[in-house]
Amino acid sequence: METVSKPTAAPGVLAVRPVGTTAVLAELSGLHDVLALQALLMEQPLPGQVDVLAAAETVMVKADSPAAARRMAGLLLDMDLTVQAHAEGKLVVIETVYDGEDVAEVARLTGLGVDGVIAAHSGQVWTVAFAGFAPGFGYMVGENELLEVPRRSSPRTAVPAGSVALAGNYSAVYPRKSPGGWQLIGRTSARMWDLGREQPALAAPGDRVQFRAVRELVQVSGTPAAPEAAAARNVEVQSGLRILSPGLQSLVQDLGRPGHGGLGVSAAGALDRSSLRRANRIVGNQPSAAVVETVSGGLRVQAAGDQVLAVAGAPSALTVVTPSGADGTDEEQAGSGEPHQVRTVPMATAFALLDGEILTLGAPERGFRSYLAIRGGLEADAVLGSRSTDTMSGIGPAPLALGQDLAVGSSTESNVVGNPELQPDFPDDGVTVLDIVPGPRDDWFDAAAVASLCTQEWEVTPSSNRVGMRLAGEPLRRSRDGELPSEGTVAGALQIPPEGQPVLFLADHPITGGYPVIGVVVDHQLDLAAQVPIGGRLRFRLASGYGPPSNLPHSPLDKVSN
């Protein structure tokens, strides 16, 4: 679909832009309409609606299919927000000590003096416009613009949890210790994010916030907040797997937790969803059963009790060692010279790992990520309906650790295991081509920049992770000055920071971003993107059925989009 606009100046959605193949971005005239549309969509979801992400001047709607996303454009433009009775959210009072490291600088920048800053901040009601950056981090808009200040020129590497801060027209409270470039004016003991509450976010989008100046903070008594990421627990299990070597990065993953963008929580989940489903299907599990996602080989596990396993994803040598003796020790533990049996098992095929036997995943021959499924699925605490690890927000199980035991669950779907399956081709050291849909902010770049995106090869750098693939190549230059107001984003988005090197967002990406997105990888190719290794090369081309970007009526991209 192309960007479509309202033909008149009537209130409501002004324009709708495609965001890849499974989301659309509605542009509105201001925060009042943003909150009204968000409330309307939450009360009356559109057909196929999965998530709603309100931002400064936009509302992103994620769909469950490309067909649903295409239908949403017309539906959004027809919505009459003037008849929407927008109910005010609850009022949250946050006690604050105004002794932040930057309060004097804010006093200088605004000309209000320290007492004036405190009076201006605590003397107005703030509204949580949208969430982003981290779970519980709400972007609050005030009733006036007296406290408009820029971000710090040099961001801090660690901002303490509970810091009350300002940036631009927004105020916020950091829910956890994290890097940040906002101006710190105070601190609070309020728990902005607590998974032990029915509503984890203390102040959700639409809620109102009143800061109350106090001289000291009263610590909340009672049970501490539930940890966001459950620490790896070394509890012996009767049936499951013991981690003898976790490899580089091994995580518990399932199909993720969509639908919580309004809380600042991304979907997370397996990066290669088709490989996770394949591994689960082979061992007879439900498609969403939790598995181990691991990169670059090196994972080594030992069976506690007899188990049925399957490994899908990046093709690797799978070696099983049957140690001598009944105590399940491996060849290193059993002592030099003691006999043991070694066998290999195929990829994408169910196999037995008997009590005490050890499975080792070798380095991938091609691709990057492998998925180890156990019949019954892995047992782990569900957070917001998912057992997946979100490395950006810290939600979910901690990365697997040496000596950790993983219990087997009961997520079976069939009484029998599946047949061996063929796997797709995985990226090697050649160039992987990914199809993109232009925009939603391709109009921030000229023809030369957009052409450069699709005609050069991009290298995946070592700083890449589950949040995003950082790419290196000839920098892309913007044709527009200024800053883009933060807006919702999706996995597959190609965000262009000021230095011009693209970042391809993956499953753990922040739900909002302030850098323009030049294009979005089509949803069904995200599994392929997840298998491109560090040092691999990417090339982008226009997806079939999508014309040139909006600013290129006769784009040189036409030559490379076949």
Side-chain angles (χ1 to χ4, degrees), residues 8 41 53 91 128 133 153 180 255-256 293 322 403 461 494 500 522 524:
T8 68
L41 291 173
L53 303 178
L91 178 64
V128 182
F133 178 65
S153 58
L255 291 178
E293 176 185 270
T322 305
T461 69
L494 280 164
V522 297
H524 68 273

Side-chain angles (χ1 to χ4, degrees), residues 498-526:
E499 70 271 16
Q501 301 292 353
V503 179
L504 173 56
F505 278 168
L506 298 179
D508 292 358
H509 67 88
I511 66 161
T512 59
Y515 299 137
V517 171
I518 194 172
V520 181
V521 174
V522 297
D523 185 74
H524 68 273
Q525 287 188 352
L526 291 180

Side-chain angles (χ1 to χ4, degrees), residues 421-435:
E421 297 191 16
L422 294 175
Q423 294 210 110
D425 292 332
F426 287 90
D428 52 20
D429 56 1
V431 179
T432 300
V433 179
L434 298 175
D435 294 324

